């Protein structure tokens, strides 16, 4: 029994989600800073319990974002497909001056905090987001993203990204060096990234459009438009006759933990291929960005069938109307109404924290953690006893 004490807070709700599952009739006990002291049966909780209508849940984890593209909100047309999307982003991303870009990133950082997000896996191509991340209450793991599809200057590209990576580390931020995508990273650059460290988390945009598979399978694809646009001669590219995933995945031969992002055109055999590799793999779904760019949903049923670990991401404001994990969940529920909310909340919390290797602090209501406590409302059970989320549900941060 916890006695009444000013530094102790007690929270209860009609639905309590602990990071893995809904638990019944429990009261959450925290200190004044939100550290979890206990999750105990409500009958033992004593006085002064704050009861909330709706769901209490650990803070959300956004496993994939690009803060530095926040100034592109509402600037990139929808449903163009990935190749045109990329060309427009490349054209527009430097139109604002650096101070404006920082101001937009700061606003995006606040938006995520307001939407109950506590930790973010954020892609960076430059050092522009350092001031925002350094002063943020959110935890950021930065994925410093290497690009370079031509083999001859792989070492140069790699050295450049390493300097950016070092800048993040020098500022006390967690970061790892990662490849951008199978259509933008050369054979040598993949090898250099693989060699860096087997403990670093790898994140990669995977199978975000059909053309990516076609390019690896046949050697010919619409990506030629992108390379021509960039003045690149890619005649040195050798196709493998396999899907994109089966072509790039074997570069990582040191058991790095890997976050595969998007997977919109991943098939069941690709998922099996990753399972057989023995890697700790997380499949990051960004359904609102997929709807924005390709107007298509990722293969959630196949991932579930194959026991894949799923996490959620918002992608950037260049391809999303907001940075909200709750909105990603609502979109998934709309397209996959048979998947229980409980599963999706675990993707949004503990799985995400495990993917970003910050589960010692975030993603669950385990004792000693400070995951952030969020309240999702309105939500409740329907007549059949199923837990449902209202389409207009909102989230607020309590601690
Ligand atoms: Zn992305």
């Amino acid at each position: 029994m916890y006695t009444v004490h000013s530094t102790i807070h007690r929270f209860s709700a009609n639905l309590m989600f602990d990071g893995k599952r809904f638990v019944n009739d429990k009261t959450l006990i925290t200190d004044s800073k939100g550290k979890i002291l206990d999750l105990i049966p409500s009958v033992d909780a004593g006085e002064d319990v704050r009861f909330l209508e709706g769901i209490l849940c650990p803070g959300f984890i956004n496993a994939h974002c690009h803060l530095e593209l926040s100034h592109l909100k509402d600037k990139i047309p929808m449903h163009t497909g990935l190749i045109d999307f990329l060309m427009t982003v490349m054209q527009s991303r430097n139109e604002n001056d650096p101070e404006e870009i920082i101001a937009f990133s700061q606003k995006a950082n606040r938006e995520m905090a307001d939407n109950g997000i506590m930790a973010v896996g954020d892609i960076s191509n430059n050092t522009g987001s350092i001031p925002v991340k350094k002063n943020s209450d959110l935890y950021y793991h930065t994925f410093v993203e290497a690009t370079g599809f031509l083999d001859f200057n792989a070492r140069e590209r790699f050295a450049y990204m390493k300097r950016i990576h070092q800048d993040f580390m020098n500022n006390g931020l967690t970061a790892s060096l990662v490849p951008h995508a199978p259509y933008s990273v050369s054979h040598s650059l993949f090898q250099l990234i693989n060699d860096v460290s087997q403990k670093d988390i790898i994140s990669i945009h995977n199978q975000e459009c059909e053309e990516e598979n076609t390019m690896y399978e046949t050697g010919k694809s619409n990506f030629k438009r992108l390379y021509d646009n960039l003045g690149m001669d890619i005649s040195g590219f050798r196709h493998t006759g396999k899907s994109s995933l089966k072509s790039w995945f074997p570069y990582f031969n040191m058991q790095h933990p890997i976050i595969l992002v998007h997977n919109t055109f991943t098939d069941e055999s690709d998922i099996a291929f990753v399972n057989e590799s023995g890697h700790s793999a997380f499949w990051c779904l960004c359904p609102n960005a997929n709807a924005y760019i390709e107007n298509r949903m990722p293969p959630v049923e196949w991932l579930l069938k194959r026991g894949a670990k799923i996490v959620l991401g918002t992608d950037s404001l260049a391809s999303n109307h907001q940075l909200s994990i709750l909105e990603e969940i609502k979109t998934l529920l709309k397209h996959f109404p048979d998947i229980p909310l409980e599963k999706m909340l675990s993707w949004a919390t503990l799985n995400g924290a495990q993917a970003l290797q910050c589960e010692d602090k975030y993603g669950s209501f385990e004792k000693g953690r400070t995951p952030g406590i969020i309240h999702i409302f309105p939500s409740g059970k329907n007549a059949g006893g199923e837990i449902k989320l209202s389409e207009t549900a909102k989230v607020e941060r309590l601690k």
Side-chain angles (χ1 to χ4, degrees):
M1 175 86 80
Y2 283 84
T3 51
V4 175
H5 191 283
S6 62
T7 60
I8 302 289
H9 298 263
R10 297 166 172 77
F11 299 97
S12 185
N14 7 20
L15 293 163
M16 175 88 71
F17 180 81
D18 69 0
K20 286 184 184 160
R21 61 184 73 84
F22 283 108
V23 288
N24 291 327
D25 305 319
K26 291 279 174 83
T27 295
L28 189 66
I29 319 280
T30 78
D31 71 8
S32 58
K33 292 189 172 134
K35 185 161 123 188
I36 307 299
L37 301 177
D38 219 337
L39 183 63
I40 58 170
S42 291
V43 287
D44 299 330
E47 303 288 306
D48 201 20
V49 176
R50 183 173 171 200
F51 186 87
L52 295 123
E53 294 289 337
I55 302 170
L56 275 188
C57 173
F60 288 139
I61 313 296
N62 181 1
H64 184 75
C65 187
H66 302 241
L67 261 194
E68 66 191 24
L69 298 181
S70 301
H71 60 296
L72 297 181
K73 185 170 190 239
D74 300 325
K75 287 200 180 153
I76 317 288
M78 293 174 76
H79 306 161
T80 61
L82 182 67
I83 293 167
D84 286 281
F85 174 83
L86 292 169
M87 290 202 281
T88 321
V89 167
M90 283 189 284
Q91 235 167 44
S92 324
R93 67 179 296 167
N94 296 320
E95 280 173 5
N96 296 67
D97 62 49
E99 288 75 32
E100 276 180 311
I101 295 178
I102 291 177
F104 277 104
S105 303
Q106 236 141 17
K107 196 170 164 235
N109 171 70
R110 276 197 302 275
E111 180 186 335
M112 285 197 272
D114 290 344
N115 287 332
I117 293 167
M118 293 293 292
V120 185
D122 190 64
I123 305 288
S124 294
N125 297 111
N126 56 55
T127 54
S129 62
I130 289 178
V132 180
K133 289 171 179 169
K134 250 175 93 169
N135 296 307
S136 175
D137 293 336
L138 307 190
Y139 170 76
Y140 279 95
H141 180 106
T142 298
F143 296 112
V144 177
E145 190 177 73
T147 57
F149 201 50
L150 299 178
D151 233 33
F152 78 92
N153 62 356
R155 286 198 176 275
E156 208 178 298
R157 304 287 302 186
F158 187 67
Y160 173 72
M161 298 321 290
K162 256 176 102 170
R163 286 197 293 276
I164 293 176
H165 177 253
Q166 197 56 50
D167 271 352
F168 276 93
M169 305 287 275
N170 291 347
N171 278 283
L173 295 162
T174 316
S176 49
L177 256 169
V178 305
H180 166 245
Y183 55 80
S184 63
V185 172
S186 69
H187 169 77
S188 299
L189 194 48
F190 264 120
Q191 283 182 330
L192 288 166
I193 296 167
N194 174 58
D195 292 344
V196 179
S197 160
Q198 57 178 313
K199 287 196 180 129
D200 279 352
I201 315 168
I202 296 297
S203 167
I204 179 169
H205 294 83
N206 176 58
Q207 294 172 305
E208 197 177 348
C209 70
E210 187 70 79
E211 294 295 319
E212 186 183 313
N213 285 324
T214 313
M215 186 171 84
Y216 274 94
E217 280 156 6
T218 68
K220 292 192 178 65
S221 79
N222 253 327
F223 270 105
K224 188 163 185 310
R225 281 205 297 128
L226 177 74
Y227 304 131
D228 286 348
N229 193 270
L230 294 167
M232 286 163 59
D233 171 13
I234 59 133
S235 51
F237 172 74
R238 295 281 167 264
H239 72 280
T240 58
K242 298 173 185 166
S243 75
S244 165
L245 183 147
K246 287 174 191 161
S247 305
W248 68 259
F249 200 89
Y251 283 117
F252 294 98
N253 60 10
M254 297 208 289
Q255 296 299 314
H256 302 76
I258 296 189
I259 305 174
L260 300 98
V261 183
H262 292 304
N263 318 302
T264 341
F265 292 83
T266 298
D267 74 16
E268 219 182 327
S269 73
D270 291 318
I271 304 165
F273 186 85
V274 171
N275 283 352
E276 282 157 21
S277 76
H279 278 259
S280 160
F282 293 88
W283 301 80
C284 180
L285 309 181
C286 307
N288 284 331
N290 303 149
Y292 193 108
I293 299 173
E294 291 278 340
N295 202 14
R296 166 158 174 146
M297 284 293 115
V300 185
E301 283 105 342
W302 282 339
L303 288 166
L304 282 176
K305 189 176 149 200
R306 292 277 175 177
K309 272 215 155 185
I310 297 175
V311 299
L312 301 181
T314 59
D315 215 345
S316 75
L317 284 172
S319 61
N320 207 333
H321 302 293
Q322 69 280 308
L323 301 179
S324 163
I325 291 296
L326 185 63
E327 293 304 320
E328 302 300 323
I329 292 176
K330 285 186 203 170
T331 299
L332 287 173
L333 283 170
K334 197 152 60 183
H335 288 89
F336 306 97
D338 295 336
I339 299 175
L341 177 63
E342 184 176 56
K343 242 186 199 353
M344 294 190 190
L345 288 176
S346 72
W347 305 344
T349 56
L350 187 56
N351 278 15
Q354 287 169 345
L356 299 183
Q357 297 182 347
C358 61
E359 72 270 30
D360 55 340
K361 190 164 177 192
Y362 299 103
S364 77
F365 284 155
E366 264 193 51
K367 263 188 216 178
R369 300 189 181 175
T370 43
I373 302 164
I374 59 174
H375 172 215
I376 304 167
F377 61 101
S379 49
K381 289 185 182 176
N382 66 11
E386 268 181 304
I387 297 169
K388 288 284 171 198
L389 190 69
S390 153
E391 267 184 41
T392 56
K394 292 186 177 64
V395 60
E396 64 169 342
R397 168 121 184 248
L398 300 177
K399 275 277 167 211

